[in-house]
Amino acid sequence: MSIHLAIALWTVFAAWRWGRWIQFSQCYPTMVYLACFQLLYEFFSHEKFYLWRLEPDPVFNYTSVVMLHTFCIYTLTAFLYLTRFPEVEWKAAVHIAKWVLIYIGVEWVGYRLGYITYSRGWNCWWSLFF
């Protein structure tokens, strides 16, 4: 099975299970913003100037991988992040830290398995800092 497909299926399940769909309309502008800027990154950096690149696998070619991550994984994780954001300040800090660790953990595994490549000095530490 494709790791990209596995992450997408898990994301869809998590959004279905834990997402607060009543708040979808409030999150939609942020989801579109995120997708647009991911596509702009791909447009400007494609092939020559990328810092990180999602690698294709036997199931998905490069374009399919980018579309899957842009329109499914990134948008639905943003939806989950936003709809579960707590009101209490210390809980919000824990929530942010949890999501940073999730994203860095998935990126690190993807890098170790060869599904993400870095260029121009970028690495997982820069992603954590960013």
Side-chain angles (χ1 to χ4, degrees), residues 36-113:
C36 286
F37 274 90
Q38 174 61 24
L39 292 175
L40 277 174
Y41 169 78
E42 289 298 328
F43 177 75
F44 286 117
S45 69
H46 184 70
E47 295 297 322
K48 283 192 170 185
F49 304 108
Y50 68 88
L51 298 174
W52 65 90
R53 183 176 192 261
L54 297 167
E55 296 297 335
D57 61 20
V59 177
F60 294 105
N61 63 22
Y62 178 73
T63 303
S64 299
V65 167
V66 169
M67 294 299 125
L68 183 68
H69 280 261
T70 300
F71 295 113
C72 180
I73 296 168
Y74 297 154
T75 54
L76 288 178
T77 55
F79 170 71
L80 275 169
Y81 173 81
L82 292 171
T83 61
R84 307 301 284 182
F85 202 88
E87 296 288 325
V88 180
E89 193 171 304
W90 72 270
K91 287 183 179 181
V94 170
H95 184 75
I96 293 168
K98 176 182 80 171
W99 279 94
V100 167
L101 291 174
I102 289 169
Y103 260 84
I104 288 299
V106 170
E107 182 175 331
W108 183 80
V109 169
Y111 171 70
R112 298 297 289 176
L113 295 176

Side-chain angles (χ1 to χ4, degrees), residues 23-35:
Q23 296 174 345
F24 183 82
S25 61
Q26 294 171 320
C27 299
Y28 183 74
T30 303
M31 294 164 64
V32 171
Y33 176 84
L34 183 70

